[in-house]
Amino acid sequence: MTRFSLRISALALAASLALSGQAIAQGTPVRGGTLSMILNPEPPVLVTGVNSASPVAAVSPRMFEGLATYTPDFKMVPVLATSWDQSADGKTITFKLRPNVKWHDGKPFTSADVQFSFMDILKKVHSRGTATYLHLIAVETPDPLTAIFKLDEPSPYIMRALAGVESPIMPKHIYEGSDPLKNPANVKPIGTGPFKFKEWERGNYIMLERNPDYWDAGKPYLDAIIFRIIPDGSARAVALESGAVQYGTQYVVPLNDVARLAKLPNLNVTTAGYEYNTSVNYLEFNLRRPYLQDRRVRQAIAHTINTDFLVKNVWFGFATKATSPVTDKQKDFHTANVPQYPYDLKKAEQLLDEAGYKKGADGIRFKVTIDWSPSGEMFKQTAELLRQGLQRVGIQAEIRNSDSPTYLRRVWTDNDFDINIYSASNIADPVIGIQRFYWSKSIQKGVTYSNGSGYNNPEMDKILESAQIENDPAKRRKLYEDTQRLVMTDLPNMGLVYIQWFTIHDKKVKNLNTTGLGPMESFADVYIEK
Amino acid sequence: MTMATESVGAGAARRASRERLARYLARRFGQAAITLIAIVILNFVILHLAPGDAIDVLAGESGGAGPEYLAQMRKSYGLDQPIYVQMVQYLWNVAQLNFGFSFRNNVSVLELIMSRLPATLLLMIASILLSFTAGVLLGVFAARRVNTFADNAVSVLALLCYATPLFWFGLMAIVLFTVKLGWLPGNGMYTIAANFNWFEATIDVLRHLALPALSLALFHMAVYTRLMRASMLEIYGLDYIRTARAKGLSQRRIAFRHVLPNAILPMVTMLGLQVGALLGGAVLVETVFGWPGLGRLAFDAILQRDHNLLIGILLFSSALVIVANLITDLVYAMLDPRIEVA
Amino acid sequence: MQAFRDFWRRYRRKTSAVIGLVLLLFVFLVAFVGPWIVPGDPWDMATMPFLWPGTNAEFPLGSDTLGRDILTGIIHGSRVSLLIGFAATLAALGLGVTVGALAGYFRGWIDDVLMRITEIFQTVPTFLLAVVLVAIFKPSMTTIVLAISAVTWPSIARLVRAEFLSLREREFVQSCVVIGMGETRIIFRQILPNCLPPIIVMSSVMVASAILTESGLSFLGLGDPNLMSWGTMIGIGRDAMRTAWYMSALPGVAILITVLALNLVGEGLNDALNPRLKNH
């Protein structure tokens, strides 16, 4: 019984943390100290401009800054740009840049770097930048401290993509004339951020040191940041518990262990700082499969999933039931006023009977396979739960385990799957984060995390395409509400839970979440209490 | 016995034996080279039968990427070339000691392997020493008390070690020594940024080394214990030991001066065989203990489908096994002149 | 019959061999009868998660992270482990005996080529190769069995070759050659039956090591995702090691007992089948 009550308290803990998720500066900062953070898995490079994978994003923002950053409610805060001005037609954006900023190698930062970063890096080699900056046709540089963005269509979402983690400003003098993907600076970065690269011992740690010439005088407060690479979940828990490491994010420890750690006197667990980076756990149907082409079958399957069980026993409270494909954190777009599919096995059986898939003599209606994203134990457990649910209504399901490349190719290149369980970030704006799953033009073989279900509905295309170039916030909201309603009616995919990331840190570490980027902020403000 | 043969050996005989050794070495090196090439080809074929390449991984991790971006990446890494071109290119590179580039990690494969090698070597040497020493001591201990309670206890212990899954033992050791008792660290190789002097740093590494080395050593400790006991008992039955007994030498002296040196010989060949098994076991042990060595690198490489890296590691491990076998053969030949290096 | 009685008399001389046999029979009994006594799907979320052993009579060994009964898992896992152990050994025997017999009987270039191939497989660290094979050809019962047999056949091949090399010089074989008996017949009818004892002894140890290998693969997440094996259970429990170590401990004990039993039986067989070799 004690185990059970512990788990209840984990749920209560997660709920109360969600409430306290506010970003405020704390106390009076002091200089000095080294912050040890957990990093897992080990990133291939350290620059999000050339690789936007999450382990890269855990390191890069301390060294690379964007033009701006964002408050938890998405207000822009100046970083490398001090002010910005958008023309009425939305096709020209003028940025005034911060003076006296130096690269880590001492060279001055200018508008040429901004131009190079957007036109030659982000637009060309960044996995999402190619879409985000599709309509950006030129960056003009009338003087070293002015950059003017020229667009051929209004792209309001650009103003949400300027954070250092998503659109880092990179040094032109280092990258110009080279293949950016193979540039040696990707593993020994030169940025403008508060921390400079010091050393990287592979399989062990990455060390950054304080940038004494940082433009924000007096900052950063820390002397150094060490990222410790610890591949094992239980070991990460030990490291935090013993104080060997003071900070960890996302799935840093097994979720069942969080409640215990939160009770320790030296540790604090918080869900603040994940306003910008919101992920949804989806279930996707392959609409090319005969059984799954019938909407009633998809709805029946949706009724077999006990989402409460998922939230409680798989996510241990660090997720909430999804009510639509857009996370409720995106208050500008989310709506729960859409069809819902509660856990109801009788309803599921009824729908399957209606669809004409009666149980055979062996009690089986038909067989499906389930693939899950090998990026977390939670997805595997969700697959196992789904299999047991399907079995109860007469659908025999087989789970397939794959390594990352096989999984990605199976789903997004070969389309050789029935049901796929994965998570994806909604990122800052639906054009970047949501449209890709439902637009018929996003049915692109080989492009991962695109429209894998093969969903092709002219009505949906019309809504999405109007939203792309709509500059009026109220009208955009309306269009995305329609999107959500249509998704929940057609069910090409469905949200299962909204993932609530959390940070575990030593209580002495302060000022961690001064903006909405939390763990992906520059850490210039972070300090360790003496 | 050994003494007698050596003193008789004249200069000519020694020269002849040196020539034989040189020829033997040349032949073994030739064989090793052929085996290595065959292993490279074998691995290359196996790996290319699998769907998905490194670019799929990069694309997946970055959460959505356009087809132009993917095509550009494939071209930039030479993955758009036909397989046989890639293989010939690889063989040519290996011949020049260029093991290729790990695009997943953005450094050369050789550099990556070399940076992980010391950790794995330390772990392997520690567990070889541990298993060998403990095995010999336990074997001698049991053999001198044959068929007593102590002997049976050693046998049971050896059987248990022989049957325990090493990763499971590692996990249980962490539960006991790290979680419950808090005596030893259960992860990593050393405390980072601890400002230790060299002495404290050594102790620190040894403390981190204790559990993984023990987990990895367990199985072979059992093997050596049983082998040593058997070997001792066999030699106890030989004539010259009986003679020694008749001369009234003490039991201790007989055991350590006359039986032990000869009983140890057959164990030397086991050492060479142990290397391959240890490298395999290192995958599990290094994963359990977060030991930053080759085993964990290999597992990561498989999950990330980093072909070049994986082939590099397999090739390197195989080379390590070949070298180890060669060394043990030589040591054996030098220790025991009865064996011809033919 | 008399031969069997002699064999049994020699076998039971050693207490440890008898204990091993009893343990092994027990494991077999669990595998065959267990699923009837403890019915149900080992994957079913039958009760509340993190139930400690001994706290609920209905689930005596407790439940795992998703509320699946550990006792049911261990019982169903015994089938998986034994099946994989024996299937992999059979496959390895098929390949190993063929290669060994051909090499040992024909000698010459056939022997050279086959032994060079064997050597390659013996040089690559076996567990590493098994991991690579399973990871690449997708984890499933079949691929696991094939991968394990692919890395274990060389030892059988070497053993059989050595036996063939010595047996084919024996008088009874030579006389067969003289009377013009066919080669296939000599190999299968004359020589092979005479190398059976060492093959049988080695097989029991191979089953044990196959079970260990399977558990290691499953632990690394390379098990068949639709089969509840002991290694899979240890892997599931690993994430909860600090709060609920029993989840990993119990299936580990099951592996230990099974492997121990197989090793003890192997030793007993060795003593009983090779009386000329004095065992220590």
Side-chain angles (χ1 to χ4, degrees):
Chain A
M1 259 346 266
T2 54
R3 294 284 135 191
F4 195 64
S5 57
L6 185 79
R7 296 161 43 65
I8 294 284
S9 66
L11 292 179
L13 172 80
S16 66
L17 290 172
L19 289 176
S20 68
Q22 281 153 19
I24 32 157
Q26 308 153 303
T28 319
V30 283
R31 264 292 315 278
T34 297
L35 178 66
S36 287
M37 301 173 59
I38 286 167
L39 182 62
N40 181 64
E42 184 163 22
V45 294
L46 303 179
V47 186
T48 50
V50 297
N51 183 335
S52 52
S54 62
V56 186
V59 184
S60 171
R62 321 312 156 199
M63 296 175 288
F64 289 93
E65 296 173 299
L67 292 175
T69 187
Y70 301 88
T71 63
D73 50 356
F74 283 102
K75 298 230 162 37
M76 276 172 80
V77 178
V79 180
L80 288 179
T82 49
S83 69
W84 40 86
D85 185 42
Q86 212 169 353
S87 68
D89 65 357
K91 290 188 181 177
T92 306
I93 315 169
T94 308
F95 292 96
K96 282 283 171 203
L97 303 180
R98 190 175 293 280
N100 305 321
V101 176
K102 281 199 181 82
W103 292 103
H104 293 159
D105 59 2
K107 297 255 166 45
F109 154 80
T110 70
S111 56
D113 294 311
V114 175
Q115 182 192 48
F116 179 80
S117 299
F118 281 91
M119 298 310 290
D120 293 283
I121 304 278
L122 297 170
K123 233 181 114 76
K124 283 186 186 156
V125 300
H126 191 273
S127 64
R128 290 183 293 263
T130 41
T132 311
Y133 302 110
L134 183 69
H135 298 295
L136 177 68
I137 46 175
V139 175
E140 290 170 4
T141 53
D143 67 71
L145 294 179
T146 309
I148 304 170
F149 283 28
K150 292 287 182 191
L151 307 162
D152 57 3
E153 292 284 357
S155 311
Y157 40 87
I158 284 184
M159 298 308 273
R160 290 186 163 223
L162 298 174
V165 62
E166 181 72 13
S167 302
I169 303 302
M170 296 172 46
K172 183 179 180 180
H173 65 279
I174 302 277
Y175 281 87
E176 193 177 28
S178 75
D179 178 352
L181 298 177
K182 285 183 176 169
N183 195 300
N186 292 340
V187 291
K188 285 181 182 165
I190 302 286
T192 59
F195 294 93
K196 290 163 54 160
F197 175 82
K198 176 128 188 275
E199 59 183 332
W200 182 357
E201 195 179 311
R202 272 165 212 283
N204 216 338
Y205 68 89
I206 296 169
M207 188 167 179
L208 312 182
E209 61 180 354
R210 185 173 188 272
N211 174 8
D213 304 318
Y214 189 54
W215 53 264
D216 199 350
K219 290 180 186 174
Y221 302 115
L222 297 171
D223 287 334
I225 297 181
I226 293 174
F227 295 88
R228 284 204 56 185
I229 297 145
I230 308 179
D232 176 59
S234 328
R236 292 196 287 269
V238 178
L240 281 163
E241 195 178 345
S242 65
V245 171
Q246 300 125 306
Y247 184 88
T249 61
Q250 296 196 356
Y251 307 117
V252 61
V253 295
L255 295 175
N256 65 58
D257 211 14
V258 181
R260 187 183 64 82
L261 290 172
K263 282 197 193 131
L264 297 176
N266 62 325
L267 293 180
N268 187 28
V269 179
T270 174
T271 58
Y274 292 95
E275 290 80 3
Y276 189 83
N277 176 26
T278 50
S279 289
V280 180
N281 176 196
Y282 291 102
L283 182 151
E284 181 177 49
F285 296 103
N286 187 353
L287 302 186
R288 300 165 192 87
R289 295 286 199 250
Y291 296 124
L292 299 172
Q293 263 163 14
D294 192 319
R295 188 199 294 172
R296 287 168 298 191
V297 172
R298 304 199 292 272
Q299 292 174 337
I301 291 175
H303 278 299
T304 65
I305 304 163
N306 186 348
T307 347
D308 289 323
F309 186 93
L310 278 181
V311 168
K312 207 166 101 183
N313 296 315
V314 171
W315 293 94
F316 289 83
F318 289 100
T320 51
K321 244 170 121 154
T323 45
S324 94
V326 177
T327 168
D328 53 1
K329 301 255 168 23
Q330 291 196 350
K331 294 200 176 61
D332 293 348
F333 305 106
H334 169 83
T335 174
N337 184 18
V338 292
Q340 301 293 331
Y341 301 90
Y343 179 53
D344 186 345
L345 296 180
K346 278 214 185 74
K347 188 82 195 290
E349 299 233 37
Q350 189 193 325
L351 281 163
L352 289 167
D353 286 338
E354 274 172 34
Y357 297 112
K358 305 274 189 222
K359 275 186 186 166
D362 51 357
I364 294 171
R365 295 173 197 272
F366 56 85
K367 293 179 182 177
V368 295
T369 54
I370 306 173
D371 287 274
W372 55 278
S373 162
S375 54
E377 197 62 15
M378 292 75 81
F379 306 119
K380 183 180 175 198
Q381 295 182 344
T382 305
E384 286 166 3
L385 180 79
L386 176 64
R387 178 179 59 192
Q388 299 313 107
L390 290 177
Q391 219 160 47
R392 295 206 173 134
V393 299
I395 302 174
Q396 197 182 342
E398 185 201 334
I399 296 177
R400 301 195 294 191
N401 281 5
S402 353
D403 54 73
S404 206
T406 313
Y407 163 78
L408 297 169
R409 176 167 286 213
R410 207 174 238 171
V411 177
W412 284 287
T413 303
D414 300 339
N415 303 127
D416 167 31
F417 71 102
D418 292 343
I419 297 173
N420 167 30
I421 293 167
Y422 67 107
S423 85
S425 171
N426 278 177
I427 313 174
D429 190 280
V431 170
I432 314 166
I434 292 294
Q435 171 185 292
R436 53 182 173 161
F437 303 128
Y438 311 110
W439 196 20
S440 67
K441 288 190 183 134
S442 297
I443 307 176
Q444 289 172 293
K445 277 189 190 287
V447 180
T448 51
Y449 298 93
S450 60
N451 183 344
S453 63
Y455 179 58
N456 183 348
N457 183 345
E459 194 189 343
M460 179 64 90
D461 286 353
K462 218 180 103 203
I463 302 173
L464 290 172
E465 281 157 24
S466 342
Q468 279 172 16
I469 51 170
E470 181 54 65
N471 221 12
D472 178 65
K475 285 185 189 156
R476 286 193 85 204
R477 182 188 168 83
K478 171 75 181 53
L479 286 166
Y480 284 117
E481 281 180 2
D482 291 344
T483 306
Q484 290 168 69
R485 207 163 294 127
L486 198 52
V487 168
M488 289 307 273
T489 310
D490 283 352
L491 283 188
N493 80 353
M494 64 180 285
L496 295 174
V497 297
Y498 301 139
I499 297 168
Q500 178 58 65
W501 301 119
F502 59 90
T503 300
I504 302 183
H505 64 90
D506 197 301
K507 281 182 178 153
K508 287 200 174 108
V509 186
K510 302 283 183 183
N511 268 356
L512 280 167
N513 299 302
T514 46
T515 70
L517 276 91
M520 295 182 180
E521 195 43 83
S522 73
F523 278 26
D525 292 311
V526 174
Y527 70 96
I528 299 175
E529 209 176 55
K530 296 284 178 205
Chain B
M1 222 167 107
T2 37
M3 288 306 205
T5 347
E6 247 174 44
S7 56
V8 173
R14 212 170 273 161
R15 240 192 330 276
S17 101
R18 216 177 294 143
E19 261 167 44
R20 266 206 309 278
L21 191 68
R23 246 179 295 140
Y24 170 74
L25 270 181
R27 208 178 68 232
R28 284 301 306 261
F29 274 119
Q31 282 174 345
I34 294 169
T35 311
L36 271 183
I37 292 173
I39 288 170
V40 184
I41 294 174
L42 177 78
N43 289 328
F44 201 87
V45 169
I46 294 173
L47 290 167
H48 276 79
L49 288 175
D53 61 26
I55 302 304
D56 284 322
V57 188
L58 286 182
E61 279 175 345
S62 53
E68 305 84 19
Y69 171 72
L70 295 181
Q72 192 202 333
M73 296 274 284
R74 286 216 164 77
K75 193 156 185 254
S76 143
Y77 291 120
L79 290 172
D80 54 345
Q81 300 282 325
I83 284 179
Y84 67 89
V85 176
Q86 292 184 39
M87 189 174 85
V88 170
Q89 184 65 43
Y90 186 77
L91 277 173
W92 175 235
N93 288 339
V94 168
Q96 302 169 333
L97 277 185
N98 171 5
F99 289 77
F101 193 75
S102 159
F103 13 65
R104 183 62 183 68
N105 294 281
N106 238 34
V107 284
S108 82
V109 168
L110 193 63
E111 196 179 317
L112 212 52
I113 290 178
M114 284 307 164
S115 71
R116 296 293 188 92
L117 188 63
T120 293
L121 283 183
L122 177 64
L123 180 61
M124 281 177 57
I125 290 170
S127 49
I128 288 175
L129 285 179
L130 191 64
S131 57
F132 195 85
T133 319
V136 168
L137 290 179
L138 282 173
V140 172
F141 176 82
R144 291 188 63 199
R145 292 161 184 78
V146 68
N147 292 333
T148 62
F149 173 78
D151 177 32
N152 288 333
V154 169
S155 294
V156 170
L157 180 73
L159 276 168
L160 285 176
C161 292
Y162 202 72
T164 306
L166 53 91
F167 62 94
W168 180 77
F169 177 85
L171 287 176
M172 294 302 119
I174 292 178
V175 169
L176 182 64
F177 293 107
T178 309
V179 178
K180 301 283 174 205
L181 298 173
W183 288 354
L184 289 168
N187 186 270
M189 192 169 152
Y190 49 84
T191 313
I192 287 168
N195 285 327
F196 287 143
N197 62 35
W198 67 267
F199 179 73
E200 288 164 330
T202 312
I203 297 294
D204 183 52
V205 170
L206 288 178
R207 277 167 49 83
H208 281 83
L209 183 62
L211 294 181
L214 182 63
S215 308
L216 198 52
L218 222 53
F219 180 85
H220 284 93
M221 191 182 87
V223 173
Y224 289 129
T225 304
R226 292 159 60 100
L227 208 64
M228 192 64 198
R229 179 178 173 277
S231 183
M232 290 279 287
L233 288 182
E234 199 173 312
I235 292 167
Y236 265 127
L238 295 178
D239 287 345
Y240 76 100
I241 300 296
R242 294 212 189 103
T243 318
R245 277 211 181 107
K247 275 200 274 181
L249 293 177
S250 79
Q251 287 296 330
R252 174 177 294 268
R253 198 179 156 83
I254 292 174
F256 288 96
R257 282 292 177 80
H258 297 268
V259 184
L260 185 72
N262 289 302
I264 266 184
L265 262 181
M267 318 241 310
V268 175
T269 26
M270 270 310 290
L271 278 175
L273 295 177
Q274 192 185 350
V275 170
L278 282 181
L279 280 164
V283 180
L284 286 163
V285 169
E286 290 182 4
T287 308
V288 170
F289 289 97
W291 191 261
L294 274 184
R296 214 184 79 206
L297 187 67
F299 189 67
D300 290 344
I302 289 161
L303 292 187
Q304 297 155 349
R305 183 79 75 237
D306 194 336
H307 293 200
N308 285 354
L309 177 55
L310 194 56
I311 297 173
I313 295 171
L314 280 180
L315 184 64
F316 198 87
S317 314
S318 309
L320 222 54
V321 174
I322 292 173
V323 171
N325 283 336
L326 211 55
I327 292 175
T328 46
D329 281 2
L330 286 175
V331 169
Y332 198 84
M334 280 190 287
L335 285 181
D336 188 355
R338 285 171 301 181
I339 305 287
E340 289 280 311
V341 280
Chain C
M1 205 53 223
Q2 181 57 42
F4 180 77
R5 227 172 278 144
D6 282 349
F7 162 77
W8 175 240
R9 194 171 38 78
R10 284 198 300 270
Y11 185 88
R12 69 170 187 217
R13 267 203 307 245
K14 206 166 176 183
T15 329
S16 64
V18 178
I19 294 175
L21 190 63
V22 171
L23 282 177
L24 191 63
L25 288 176
F26 173 72
V27 175
F28 270 103
L29 190 73
V30 167
F32 282 108
V33 186
W36 274 286
I37 297 170
V38 185
D41 185 341
W43 294 96
D44 252 339
M45 290 93 185
T47 180
M48 67 187 192
F50 290 86
L51 189 73
W52 272 73
T55 52
N56 183 333
E58 208 185 325
F59 306 98
L61 296 186
S63 72
D64 76 357
T65 52
L66 287 186
R68 295 173 289 221
D69 183 22
I70 288 181
L71 180 63
T72 313
I74 287 182
I75 285 173
H76 285 253
S78 65
R79 284 191 164 188
V80 179
S81 290
L82 289 177
L83 194 60
I84 288 181
F86 279 93
T89 302
L90 271 180
L93 279 179
L95 189 57
V97 168
T98 313
V99 170
L102 290 177
Y105 186 83
F106 291 107
R107 296 180 289 195
W109 67 271
I110 297 183
D111 184 28
D112 274 351
V113 170
L114 289 176
M115 280 304 107
R116 193 48 47 79
I117 294 174
T118 312
E119 200 174 289
I120 290 166
F121 275 87
Q122 281 193 313
T123 306
V124 180
T126 52
F127 186 72
L128 202 55
L129 184 59
V131 167
V132 169
L133 290 174
V134 174
I136 282 173
F137 298 107
K138 308 294 153 319
S140 77
M141 183 81 145
T142 322
T143 53
I144 292 169
V145 165
L146 291 180
I148 296 176
S149 55
V151 301
T152 46
W153 67 267
S155 49
I156 282 283
R158 291 198 161 247
L159 176 81
V160 172
R161 173 179 173 268
E163 290 288 319
F164 264 68
L165 281 177
S166 84
L167 284 172
R168 79 166 311 220
E169 300 304 328
R170 295 275 194 86
E171 256 169 53
F172 73 96
V173 176
Q174 290 307 318
S175 51
C176 289
V177 175
V178 170
I179 62 167
M181 196 187 271
E183 278 176 336
T184 327
R185 224 180 124 89
I186 297 179
I187 291 175
F188 285 104
R189 289 289 180 79
Q190 299 299 324
I191 308 185
L192 198 56
N194 278 293
C195 10
L196 272 183
I199 292 179
I200 291 173
V201 171
M202 194 169 205
S203 300
S204 68
V205 180
M206 279 175 74
V207 174
S209 83
I211 289 176
L212 281 178
T213 308
E214 188 278 336
S215 71
L217 288 169
S218 299
F219 172 72
L220 292 175
L222 293 172
D224 186 321
N226 297 290
L227 292 176
M228 184 68 90
S229 89
W230 292 335
T232 309
M233 293 178 76
I234 298 178
I236 288 173
R238 186 183 175 204
D239 261 356
M241 216 169 62
R242 300 185 57 79
T243 43
W245 54 268
Y246 68 91
M247 287 180 203
S248 293
L250 294 172
V253 172
I255 297 176
L256 205 157
I257 290 174
T258 310
V259 173
L260 183 65
L262 282 161
N263 285 332
L264 289 176
V265 168
E267 259 180 50
L269 287 175
N270 193 29
D271 289 357
L273 293 172
N274 301 328
R276 59 208 148 90
L277 286 175
K278 198 173 154 276
N279 193 273
H280 318 282

